[in-house]
Amino acid sequence: MPSAIPVREDPTYAEAYAAFERDHPGYASAELDAERAADFSRLDRSGDVYLDYTGGGIYAESHVREHAELLTGGVFGNPHSTNPTSLAMTERTESARRAVLAHFGADPGEYVAIFTPNASGALKLVAESYPFAPGGAFLLTYDNHNSVNGIREFAHARGAEVAYAPVRPPDMRIDDVALWRALDAPHGGARRLFAFPAQSNFSGVLHPLAWVDRAKERGWDVLLDAAAFAPTHALDLGTVRPDFVSLSFYKMFGYPTGVGALLARREALGRLRRPWFAGGTIAYASVSEPRHDLHEGAEAFEDGTLNYLALPAVEAGRRRLAQGRQATIDARTMALTGWTLGRLVALRHGNGRPLVQVYGPLDTVARGGTIAFNLQEADGALIDHREVEQRANGARISLRTGCFCNPGAGEAALGISGNELASCFGAHERMTIDTFRSCLSDKGSGAVRVSFGHASTFADAFALVRLLEGFRA
């Protein structure tokens, strides 16, 4: 394996960096370099290489300090009241709500921002309240997070049809012909919901936002999962108008955790029917006479007490991505992604066979800064992704392995058929990850994923490639 010397002291680093800067001018940003030195120097001090931005962003030290200073300099109470400390927090909550809408170019007259624990919480609000019924449908892409896949359980339970648009390996894009056929399929008159991710959390593929209008023109409501997309890409809801958008703020700026949002068109929100009510969601409720009426707008969907002390940090995080900084971050991450893809594809064993199998586009066209891959032995057999993670851990490189809560993309990438899965599931009363791996040992049960973000540097990408070089035979 390569020596464990610091990356920048590697004798090949300086030459590689010079060539990278020449070939990828979009990487250059004095602003991001200064931010890395001021807000993320702990990464260099600890020797950590962070390559899991799709899993969660890294928090900036100044962001945390700003939030701590606000909390220690003020007195804030539960916003469900009209006392002075409650009103102070209500003002901060509504300011954060306005900031979120502004960040996504959403007209407050058309959209509302509903705070949730995370993107999964936002998706569950839609799942449990959407008017699925016989004659209706739920269409989704194979490439979706499990929190979107889980919506199918509500659709099935209420008699709606469920269908998937398949993904095409090896570039991992959706089969357009199959998608249009599904969108154009006749229906029984009930509401229909189409759900897809703006960016794949598995392969990094950017799915066309033009699908939103094309689906709506055919009478579909559209749910856009923007959790993996929003950290490095601008989403303008004045131009693209999905009915629902799910977000997690820790993925966007690393802090705070425990806060996400559902951005919903007011018209579409009016079609949702909540299956219950909770504290904070109702204008009133009676026990003697069992009746209740929900609040209008966002409050009707914010169960109980919000994580209110964290909300000012959302507004502060939004300022960090404002004024065109996302475009700068995107340019840097795509420069790193392009260089890394080129190096991964070039890695070969001594017999000339490729070391790396990439799942997704091999260039930077219509893709984000997420790369999924597996390593192969010199005879073509897959190297267990857990071994890659173990070696990465030893080098203090944080990456992720598995299927990344996206089984559809994983199954397509690994070539696992429905028949194989049915046989595997039929042989076991209860499936565990270990029994699943034993069923599919020849095809693998997951992949390795690396992802770049706002604090990434060339040294991070270089460290990854040096690690993988150690697997060559």
Side-chain angles (χ1 to χ4, degrees), residues 214-281:
R214 294 191 66 171
K216 290 174 71 66
E217 288 167 359
R218 289 159 171 78
W220 292 80
D221 297 320
V222 178
L223 167 59
L224 183 69
D225 180 9
F229 180 88
T232 57
H233 298 89
L235 176 62
D236 182 1
L237 297 182
T239 303
V240 180
R241 290 183 168 86
D243 296 284
F244 308 102
V245 180
S246 55
L247 304 162
S248 277
F249 295 112
Y250 74 92
K251 292 182 183 289
M252 293 178 65
F253 5 91
Y255 180 82
T257 57
V259 184
L262 174 67
L263 308 184
R265 292 182 63 244
R266 291 180 181 274
E267 179 186 4
L269 195 67
R271 292 194 285 271
L272 302 187
R273 295 292 179 265
R274 299 221 61 193
W276 80 314
F277 65 89
T281 65

Side-chain angles (χ1 to χ4, degrees), residues 121-180:
L123 293 164
K124 187 170 185 287
L125 285 177
V126 178
E128 67 185 11
S129 304
Y130 190 78
F132 291 118
F138 179 43
L139 172 65
L140 61 167
T141 55
Y142 257 65
D143 185 4
N144 258 311
H145 192 278
N146 265 337
S147 295
V148 178
N149 288 323
I151 298 173
R152 72 189 186 195
E153 300 304 301
F154 290 92
H156 279 308
R158 296 171 191 163
E161 179 184 352
V162 175
Y164 278 91
V167 68
R168 296 188 314 255
D171 67 354
M172 302 300 290
R173 301 193 188 278
I174 299 301
D175 184 331
D176 285 346
V177 173
L179 176 60
W180 303 137

Side-chain angles (χ1 to χ4, degrees), residues 60-408:
E61 292 172 22
S62 61
H63 187 182
V64 177
R65 284 196 301 270
E66 179 182 351
H67 186 220
E69 289 167 3
L70 172 72
L71 297 183
T72 56
V75 182
F76 301 103
N78 187 324
H80 288 163
S81 186
T82 58
N83 64 59
T85 55
S86 178
L87 289 176
M89 194 66 246
T90 298
E91 180 182 346
R92 292 285 181 176
T93 298
E94 296 311 309
S95 180
R97 202 185 303 277
R98 290 190 297 270
V100 170
L101 291 174
H103 180 78
F104 292 99
D107 179 353
E110 183 178 7
Y111 280 90
V112 298
I114 300 165
F115 289 121
T116 63
N118 43 43
S120 295
L123 293 164
K124 187 170 185 287
L125 285 177
V126 178
E128 67 185 11
S129 304
Y130 190 78
F132 291 118
F138 179 43
L139 172 65
L140 61 167
T141 55
Y142 257 65
D143 185 4
N144 258 311
H145 192 278
N146 265 337
S147 295
V148 178
N149 288 323
I151 298 173
R152 72 189 186 195
E153 300 304 301
F154 290 92
H156 279 308
R158 296 171 191 163
E161 179 184 352
V162 175
Y164 278 91
V167 68
R168 296 188 314 255
D171 67 354
M172 302 300 290
R173 301 193 188 278
I174 299 301
D175 184 331
D176 285 346
V177 173
L179 176 60
W180 303 137
R181 186 184 304 120
L183 288 171
D184 287 332
H187 64 99
R191 302 299 309 187
R192 298 175 297 163
L193 181 64
F194 170 46
F196 72 96
Q199 177 177 318
S200 172
N201 77 310
F202 184 96
S203 66
V205 163
L206 297 179
H207 297 300
L209 295 180
W211 290 352
V212 173
D213 284 345
R214 294 191 66 171
K216 290 174 71 66
E217 288 167 359
R218 289 159 171 78
W220 292 80
D221 297 320
V222 178
L223 167 59
L224 183 69
D225 180 9
F229 180 88
T232 57
H233 298 89
L235 176 62
D236 182 1
L237 297 182
T239 303
V240 180
R241 290 183 168 86
D243 296 284
F244 308 102
V245 180
S246 55
L247 304 162
S248 277
F249 295 112
Y250 74 92
K251 292 182 183 289
M252 293 178 65
F253 5 91
Y255 180 82
T257 57
V259 184
L262 174 67
L263 308 184
R265 292 182 63 244
R266 291 180 181 274
E267 179 186 4
L269 195 67
R271 292 194 285 271
L272 302 187
R273 295 292 179 265
R274 299 221 61 193
W276 80 314
F277 65 89
T281 65
I282 49 173
Y284 75 91
S286 172
V287 173
S288 299
E289 180 63 28
R291 176 177 167 173
H292 72 278
D293 277 329
L294 293 170
H295 284 300
E296 294 185 356
E299 284 186 286
F301 292 83
E302 293 175 342
D303 296 333
T305 301
L306 292 172
N307 187 1
Y308 58 87
L309 290 179
L311 295 181
V314 171
E315 185 171 3
R318 184 257 173 171
R319 290 194 294 271
R320 300 183 64 82
L321 291 183
Q323 300 175 345
R325 292 191 73 250
Q326 270 185 306
T328 303
I329 294 169
D330 183 39
R332 172 161 286 199
T333 57
M334 294 319 299
L336 293 170
T337 301
W339 183 87
T340 302
L341 283 168
R343 293 305 178 275
L344 296 187
V345 172
L347 289 174
R348 301 274 165 172
H349 290 289
N351 63 4
R353 298 193 67 164
L355 170 68
V356 182
Q357 180 178 2
V358 175
Y359 306 119
L362 298 181
D363 56 26
T364 57
V365 177
R367 67 127 63 237
T370 300
I371 305 172
F373 61 92
N374 265 317
L375 301 187
Q376 304 171 121
E377 302 280 10
D379 62 1
L382 288 183
I383 296 174
D384 193 322
H385 57 79
R386 292 171 294 179
E387 181 181 347
V388 180
E389 183 174 33
Q390 184 177 16
R391 288 209 209 174
N393 291 346
R396 297 197 66 82
I397 297 176
S398 293
L399 44 74
R400 193 167 290 260
T401 65
C403 75
F404 325 120
C405 295
N406 191 331

